Amino acid sequence: MLATVLLAGAAVPTATAADTARPRPNVVVILADDAGLTDFGAFGGEAHTPNMDAIAARGAMFTQFRASPLCSPSRAMLLTGMDNHLTGFATIPEVLPSEQRGKPGYSMALEPGVLTLADRLRSLGYRTLMVGKWHLGEEAGAMPQAHGFDRSFALAASGADNWEKKAYIPYYKDAPWYEDGVETDLPDDFYSSRFIVDTMIAYLRETDPSKPLFAYLPFQAVHIPVQAPAELIAKYKGRYDAGWDVLRRERQQRAEALGLVPPGAAMADLPPGYRAWKDLSAEDRVLYAARMEVHAAMLEAMDMNIGRLIDHLKASSQYDNTIFVLASDNGPEPSRGDDNATLSAWHRFVGYHIGLEGMGGRRSWGFIGPEWAAATATPGAWFKFYATEGGVRVPLVIAGPGLEAARIDSPAMMTDIAPTLLEWIGAPAEVAGNNARTMTGRSLLPVLTGEATTAYASDEVRVIEVSGNTALYKGDFKITRSVLPLGDGRWRLFDLARDPGETTDLSIARPQLLTEMVADYDAYASRVGVLPMPEGYDSVAQTAKNNIVQMLANYPWLYGVIAGIALLVGFVVWGLFKMLRRMARRTAE
């Protein structure tokens, strides 16, 4: 029997003597940031990731897993088992238009009645620990300690420097790290992946070893700024010299060999504005090849430190009774650091560089750009921000006691992870209480154990929507819609069983199916509270606008600078006007 206890306005289950008599498995959730479907070695990537590959080799590799196209919505879905609009994270603050700010589902905070896995597991006797990127609220009171975690060391922002406590975009003034809800500093020898595991191991040693553990490790790898230790970067020297066009073909071939796409499937369409490798200058080819070397090294650094955590669990006799979940929050990051004057000025102001010398080290603002992002998202189309396959189809591995190695082709969503874990450990997915919101995901345990071949019937819909970028899946078919700057807001229809790269739009050939699926989407949008996007919404333009607004808030003295420049320009214009008027008079005379 399970009793209940009230927590954060909602009733959650608590363990009784009968429950605690049975040893529950540990749960370790590892989340990569901006890793594409084929980035991990087990899924066809070049980076050396033996520890993640070993988890995949003894667990279940999901080939049809979908996240959201942005980080906060995916993290909310992962931790709550709920559609992102029902959690408060319909999108992320950086791309939020003013028309949606503060509306239900768009509050940019976990809303009342939204319970996390930590809320649920702590009440069942688990010690709940989190180290890494949180990005589910920016105030101290919204940090993990307010959502069920016993110990936490959390980055509130969407990203940060990996070598020091430093902001990575003008939206932030610094890197807001909080330990147990109190803003804190970082050690002098900080490197994000190493620190995340060091701190998690320290928490494991400090907390009661008789309790099962829930450890949540959301890494910064491979989010901008892409940074890694020099000795690891050196291992990939020359690996990417052939360029992104070659890498796309290589990843496609490996995806076919691994069965991620059917043989002979057409390669995904390239995003608008894609640059051919051969059209780059020799200098730019060197720069961009080096950027991808750092990307691979950052993945390896994360994997090395995951290996250290595994070694600790083995040494403390906890490994054999541990469930592992390994996933990415969305597809690869396409943003560049060499095409934006405002960002370049801010780089100079805070001391970042994007040059070859010292790339990946301290003060290096590493990125891979849209072409490498499209290549690492292969076999999917496009990348992060968009609900195309490159933005939402990402790796998922689940391994644990009693689970045999398997390849699972059943559809699976980020919202399905929480109910799967709860069923596995024998905890209820739903709880009593009028304020407790219901999970929308479903347990994947039947497909993990072989009791079922799929978690979703062919006529059931699965939907993703973030800031107008939308995907709805029904059986083998998908409709998708993308907003500016790359999209045009028009619905397209694809048969993913035959065309996983979304190359052939069937909306004209199958108009009735398109109409039915759009109606399915409209019903979903009404049910979960999706708000319409403002006319002409452009995610990149909105990000730039929000960055400028926040930068002015972070540095109020800029108002004086801007006013001074405006005054100077006014004087110059007035002086020119007076001079031209005098010249005109002389000419008239």
Side-chain angles (χ1 to χ4, degrees), residues 148-297:
F149 285 95
D150 296 324
R151 300 298 314 276
S152 61
F153 205 116
L155 173 65
S158 59
D161 196 277
N162 295 280
W163 292 109
E164 56 186 307
K165 193 175 188 290
K166 184 175 183 178
Y168 83 107
I169 54 174
Y171 190 90
Y172 300 101
K173 189 173 184 179
D174 62 6
W177 283 91
Y178 291 84
E179 185 165 30
D180 301 329
V182 179
E183 191 162 4
T184 188
D185 291 324
L186 299 174
D188 292 338
D189 64 349
F190 175 81
Y191 177 71
S192 63
S193 291
R194 181 179 62 241
F195 176 81
I196 286 169
V197 171
D198 281 348
T199 307
M200 181 58 72
I201 290 174
Y203 286 171
L204 290 173
R205 286 173 173 155
E206 294 167 6
T207 51
D208 185 353
S210 68
K211 292 183 176 182
L213 68 93
F214 170 49
Y216 175 44
L217 297 95
F219 284 84
Q220 290 178 239
V222 279
H223 194 283
I224 286 174
V226 183
Q227 298 167 316
E231 63 272 18
L232 296 183
I233 298 172
K235 295 173 62 173
Y236 296 94
K237 182 66 176 174
R239 175 61 183 84
Y240 299 100
D241 286 357
W244 43 62
D245 301 310
V246 171
L247 185 68
R248 287 185 72 239
R249 293 193 293 271
E250 292 176 349
R251 293 274 184 114
Q252 181 79 7
Q253 291 166 0
R254 290 198 289 271
E256 284 194 23
L258 290 168
L260 299 175
V261 294
M267 288 188 69
D269 289 338
L270 296 171
Y274 183 96
R275 298 170 294 175
W277 184 256
K278 64 180 178 59
D279 293 339
L280 267 65
S281 68
E283 180 183 4
D284 279 346
R285 286 197 295 270
V286 170
L287 275 170
Y288 272 92
R291 288 175 178 134
M292 194 61 192
E293 292 164 8
V294 180
H295 183 272

Side-chain angles (χ1 to χ4, degrees), residues 124-147:
L124 294 170
Y126 277 75
R127 44 188 169 140
T128 53
L129 316 171
M130 179 271 175
V131 187
K133 173 179 161 180
W134 179 241
H135 202 210
L136 291 174
E138 297 181 357
E139 302 298 327
M143 292 300 105
Q145 84 288 344
H147 296 287

Side-chain angles (χ1 to χ4, degrees), residues 54-77:
I55 295 173
R58 72 178 188 87
M61 289 179 57
F62 284 77
T63 65
Q64 298 296 329
F65 175 64
R66 303 306 192 283
S68 94
L70 283 177
C71 46
S72 295
S74 286
R75 290 156 199 271
M77 294 158 72

Side-chain angles (χ1 to χ4, degrees), residues 10-23:
V12 295
T14 186
T16 65
D19 297 316
T20 55
R22 298 189 305 272

Side-chain angles (χ1 to χ4, degrees), residues 38-57:
T38 54
D39 266 336
F40 300 159
F43 285 81
E46 306 80 35
H48 185 58
T49 56
N51 297 294
M52 291 188 286
D53 296 349
I55 295 173

